[in-house]
Amino acid sequence: FSLSTGSTLCSYELQPSEYTTDPRATKLCPKYPVPESAPIPFFHRCAPVNISCYAKFAEAVITFVSDSSALHRLISGVMTSKEIIMGLCLLSLVLSMILMVIIRYISRVLVWFLTILVILGSLGGTGVLWWLYAKQRVSASAVETQIAKDNLQALLVYAISATVFMVVLFLIMLIMRKQVALTIALFHVAGKVFIHLPLLVFQPFWTFFVLILFWIYWITVLLFLGTTGTPVRNEQGFVEFRMVGPLKYMWWYHVVGLIWISEFILACQQMAVAGAVVTYYFTREKRNLPFTPILASVNRLICYHLGTVAKGSFIITLVKIPRMILMYIHTQLKGKENAYARCMLKACICCLWCLEKCLTYLNQNAYTATAINSTNFCTSAKDAFVILVENALRVAAINTVGDFMLFLGKVRLL
């Protein structure tokens, strides 16, 4: 700059040709207006060389945290109760393991106890409603008012509805008694599975760890995309980076990758668990089980079934992306669209959500069929669909009674 403009930046004792070579330049030349920096191999950026800059940055962050009342209260609350939080997390893990062990012994008693309790509750509720109706009818005959007649009619409607519900419930219990017994047997087997395959308990932790690693990688690539592009001079004479050509569509590609690979990782967990349980169930002599059935299942997954898992997770992605786009449109148009458009958007979002849940449930059963028969995804999905349709009543009973039992187990532990 000095040679091209003739401006003398340093002391007159130094010639411009000596500004970068003479050791006295550090004292006779002015300091840089910004800290000395060096390039780092991340995001094409420079970082300060002097460590005092990072100390000042940390000091600024600490000052911001201390000045932010809400964040300060949050952090201080967590730090104050960290022992209680960690203890409750450990206690919940221990209680969950205890529930998995004892559920095989109490499932039969618990299911039939709940069945009898529901029947007695419906009988008692119906009887109380009819008693209230009879009592109100006697009172209404003495006082002929419109309010009394309305109360009497309402009680009659409630009593009839309760009676119909009780009769339907009795019929369902009578028809589904074998399905309830099947649910009890399945819980009994599930309790044995967790005793023989203790590593299944830690499978969600590994899945969560892999998801965290993938999300960190995804954010890193997102930062790279944010700093890429072609340098272009704008109208003000400054240079800015603009993404041109295929780079403009990399954001969509990256978002689709986030959804697809996240679903892929979750599907891998489902396939690994299904393979381990299938190995246990179809091994006649449990002493001949592999040393680690879950690791053997993961090995089969990697060698033979990655395509099945990828196809199933891709189907979920195809449904999830349109639903997310519609939700984004609904959020952006909130308060601007008319009632008809709002109703249509909500209906489409609801339908896509239901379709996604149905496909997720079908995929889980398809992975189980793949683990049993070693067939491809389409064949396994067809077999799973046929089995679910042919055994719809059993499936409904298992899901309803099973979910209710697990809910009561959680409540009891809480």
Side-chain angles (χ1 to χ4, degrees), residues 81-111:
S81 309
K82 59 180 182 299
E83 294 85 2
I84 300 176
I85 295 174
M86 294 178 62
L88 290 176
C89 291
L90 182 61
L91 179 63
S92 63
L93 180 62
V94 173
L95 291 178
S96 300
M97 292 181 178
I98 294 174
L99 175 63
M100 288 187 298
V101 173
I102 66 175
I103 201 170
R104 59 174 294 196
Y105 301 108
I106 66 172
S107 57
R108 184 182 299 275
V109 177
L110 183 60
V111 169

Side-chain angles (χ1 to χ4, degrees), residues 178-222:
K178 294 183 179 180
Q179 285 73 20
V180 173
L182 177 61
T183 305
I184 296 172
L186 288 177
F187 270 95
H188 188 71
V189 174
K192 291 183 178 180
V193 169
F194 278 104
I195 292 176
H196 288 87
L197 307 178
L199 288 181
L200 282 179
V201 179
F202 301 99
Q203 186 63 28
F205 296 100
W206 290 110
T207 304
F208 179 74
F209 177 71
V210 174
L211 280 173
I212 290 295
L213 291 180
F214 167 67
W215 289 338
I216 292 175
Y217 166 78
W218 188 85
I219 294 174
T220 304
V221 176
L222 183 66

Side-chain angles (χ1 to χ4, degrees), residues 347-360:
C348 292
I349 293 172
C350 182
C351 292
L352 288 174
W353 181 84
C354 294
L355 179 60
E356 179 184 339
K357 294 301 178 183
C358 293
L359 289 176
T360 301

Side-chain angles (χ1 to χ4, degrees), residues 90-380:
L90 182 61
L91 179 63
S92 63
L93 180 62
V94 173
L95 291 178
S96 300
M97 292 181 178
I98 294 174
L99 175 63
M100 288 187 298
V101 173
I102 66 175
I103 201 170
R104 59 174 294 196
Y105 301 108
I106 66 172
S107 57
R108 184 182 299 275
V109 177
L110 183 60
V111 169
W112 290 119
F113 173 75
L114 292 176
T115 303
I116 295 173
L117 188 64
V118 170
I119 292 174
L120 292 178
S122 61
L123 279 173
T126 305
V128 168
L129 286 174
W130 281 112
W131 177 75
L132 290 174
Y133 170 74
K135 185 178 179 181
Q136 186 69 22
R137 186 173 183 179
V138 173
S139 302
S141 60
V143 182
E144 292 291 338
T145 61
Q146 186 62 34
I147 297 177
K149 292 180 179 180
D150 293 341
N151 292 337
L152 183 65
Q153 186 177 3
L155 281 175
L156 179 60
V157 173
Y158 293 152
I160 294 175
S161 301
T163 304
V164 173
F165 174 77
M166 182 187 65
V167 173
V168 172
L169 182 64
F170 283 170
L171 293 176
I172 292 176
M173 292 293 182
L174 183 63
I175 295 173
M176 298 180 61
R177 63 185 187 279
K178 294 183 179 180
Q179 285 73 20
V180 173
L182 177 61
T183 305
I184 296 172
L186 288 177
F187 270 95
H188 188 71
V189 174
K192 291 183 178 180
V193 169
F194 278 104
I195 292 176
H196 288 87
L197 307 178
L199 288 181
L200 282 179
V201 179
F202 301 99
Q203 186 63 28
F205 296 100
W206 290 110
T207 304
F208 179 74
F209 177 71
V210 174
L211 280 173
I212 290 295
L213 291 180
F214 167 67
W215 289 338
I216 292 175
Y217 166 78
W218 188 85
I219 294 174
T220 304
V221 176
L222 183 66
L223 295 177
F224 274 111
L225 285 176
T227 56
T228 188
T230 304
V232 179
R233 187 181 300 273
N234 57 20
E235 292 79 5
Q236 290 78 21
F238 297 103
V239 175
E240 62 181 13
F241 287 85
R242 297 177 182 174
M243 289 194 295
V244 296
L247 284 178
K248 293 189 296 185
Y249 307 102
M250 286 297 294
W251 294 92
W252 290 101
Y253 175 80
H254 199 50
V255 171
V256 172
L258 171 66
I259 300 173
W260 189 0
I261 299 181
S262 298
E263 293 292 335
F264 176 81
I265 294 172
L266 294 174
C268 286
Q269 172 189 320
Q270 296 168 4
M271 178 66 81
V273 172
V277 175
V278 165
T279 301
Y280 162 81
Y281 187 79
F282 288 101
T283 301
R284 186 177 297 274
E285 294 292 334
K286 305 307 179 186
R287 294 173 297 181
N288 299 330
L289 282 172
F291 179 69
T292 53
I294 187 69
L295 294 181
S297 177
V298 171
N299 181 55
R300 290 195 300 270
L301 166 65
I302 296 174
C303 293
Y304 304 108
H305 301 310
L306 285 180
T308 298
V309 174
K311 187 177 293 184
S313 56
F314 181 68
I315 292 175
I316 301 297
T317 304
L318 290 179
V319 179
K320 183 169 289 188
I321 290 177
R323 182 172 66 86
M324 295 177 66
I325 294 175
L326 290 179
M327 291 177 63
Y328 175 77
I329 295 174
H330 180 263
T331 304
Q332 294 298 314
L333 298 179
K334 195 170 185 180
K336 300 178 182 178
E337 77 278 17
N338 55 33
Y340 179 76
R342 183 169 59 252
C343 180
M344 290 297 296
L345 273 175
K346 289 183 178 180
C348 292
I349 293 172
C350 182
C351 292
L352 288 174
W353 181 84
C354 294
L355 179 60
E356 179 184 339
K357 294 301 178 183
C358 293
L359 289 176
T360 301
Y361 185 72
L362 181 61
N363 280 357
Q364 293 175 358
N365 290 275
Y367 299 148
T368 303
T370 299
I372 296 173
N373 303 319
S374 295
T375 52
N376 57 40
F377 176 79
C378 295
T379 303
S380 300

